[in-house]
Amino acid sequence: MDHNCPICHESTCSITHKKLGTFYKCDKCDFIHKDRNHLITLKQELAIYNNHNNSIDDPKYVAFFNRFLYKAVFPYVNSGKKAFDFGSGPTPVLAQILQRYHQYDMVIYDLFYATNKSYINKKFDLITSTEVLEHVKDPISTFKLLVSLLKKDGVLAIMTLYHPNNDDDFLKWYYIRDPSHISFYSLKTMHVIANMLNCEIIYSDYHRYTTFKLK
């Protein structure tokens, strides 16, 4: 079976966890993906999401998003108010914050909870995707879609936790315990993706936030 990197197509090295299965790490771009034989079904994935009880009435959850917005979004976004939240989840809290408190005109999409692709043929000043890219089997296709929806001066802000670069630390990492997490990135990975898609990274916190714009 071909275990080449889904992003840069270079060869990979395996990292195996006794309980969680095998992962493949690319030495060129740092991307790590889970063995396709060890993926859960969409039905199992949905069951995990259905257990999430997130709400705009939860101050801690709102604060979680506000940290992202004030660090990775608001310092870089233009004055336009057309925004798209990709992978909005069972309760679209980030979209609600942007619309209710910052007057954004929101479009949302989620594979399970908001399936109407109303983003088609639109362009956006801001695109957000928070805690989504770790679930995606084909990251480049997803990034290509999101970049294609950006206005010329638009901003794409991503939240996904960067993986530890040490194999032992990776195998102990809590993030891989979620069986729906199958794709893992570092800042190096994000730079490779940016270069592939004619983008540049304008902000990273070196931990989980990455902000892109078109070159």
Side-chain angles (χ1 to χ4, degrees):
M1 185 176 179
D2 183 7
H3 297 302
N4 284 2
C5 176
I7 290 177
C8 70
H9 307 295
E10 294 293 325
S11 59
T12 60
C13 296
S14 63
I15 309 170
T16 301
H17 190 284
K18 290 181 180 179
K19 294 183 179 179
L20 303 176
T22 299
F23 302 82
Y24 298 95
K25 180 180 179 182
C26 177
D27 287 333
K28 182 177 180 181
C29 76
D30 271 359
F31 182 69
I32 301 177
H33 69 282
K34 195 171 188 177
D35 190 305
R36 300 313 185 207
N37 292 317
H38 300 156
L39 304 189
I40 61 176
T41 65
L42 286 177
K43 184 177 180 180
Q44 290 170 319
E45 193 170 354
L46 177 59
I48 292 172
Y49 302 153
N50 284 339
N51 286 325
H52 293 179
N53 296 309
N54 302 319
S55 166
I56 197 167
D57 297 319
D58 180 346
K60 290 184 179 179
Y61 196 57
V62 170
F64 173 73
F65 282 126
N66 276 332
R67 284 192 295 273
F68 169 69
L69 290 173
Y70 282 94
K71 287 186 176 182
V73 175
F74 294 149
Y76 309 101
V77 76
N78 62 43
S79 58
K81 292 291 185 177
K82 298 286 187 182
F84 174 41
D85 186 36
F86 178 82
S88 50
T91 51
V93 175
L94 179 60
Q96 291 171 353
I97 293 170
L98 284 168
Q99 186 165 319
R100 183 180 301 183
Y101 300 114
H102 302 283
Q103 294 73 54
Y104 275 86
D105 179 11
M106 296 300 305
V107 171
I108 65 171
Y109 172 77
D110 189 274
L111 178 64
F112 298 108
Y113 303 103
T115 57
N116 182 16
K117 295 182 178 181
S118 53
Y119 57 82
I120 292 175
N121 296 324
K122 292 188 172 79
K123 294 283 187 178
F124 299 95
D125 303 290
L126 169 64
I127 299 175
T128 54
S129 188
T130 57
E131 299 298 306
V132 174
L133 271 297
E134 63 272 20
H135 303 276
V136 171
K137 185 176 179 180
D138 184 2
I140 286 299
S141 292
T142 299
F143 271 100
K144 283 181 177 178
L145 169 65
L146 298 180
V147 168
S148 75
L149 299 173
L150 280 176
K151 291 184 179 180
K152 187 176 180 180
D153 58 349
V155 164
L156 168 62
I158 300 293
M159 182 199 297
T160 186
L161 203 58
Y162 294 170
H163 67 70
N165 254 322
N166 176 281
D167 289 358
D168 290 336
D169 290 339
F170 178 80
L171 292 174
K172 297 173 186 174
W173 191 31
Y174 80 93
Y175 215 53
I176 66 172
R177 265 71 184 160
D178 185 330
S180 67
H181 289 182
I182 62 173
S183 293
F184 309 96
Y185 313 77
S186 70
L187 181 56
K188 182 179 180 180
T189 315
M190 295 301 190
H191 276 293
V192 169
I193 292 171
N195 288 333
M196 290 174 68
L197 301 181
N198 198 34
C199 292
E200 60 181 323
I201 293 174
I202 55 175
Y203 173 75
S204 173
D205 68 344
Y206 302 93
H207 180 57
R208 72 192 318 159
Y209 303 159
T210 319
T211 307
F212 303 79
K213 71 173 184 178
L214 297 171
K215 285 184 179 177

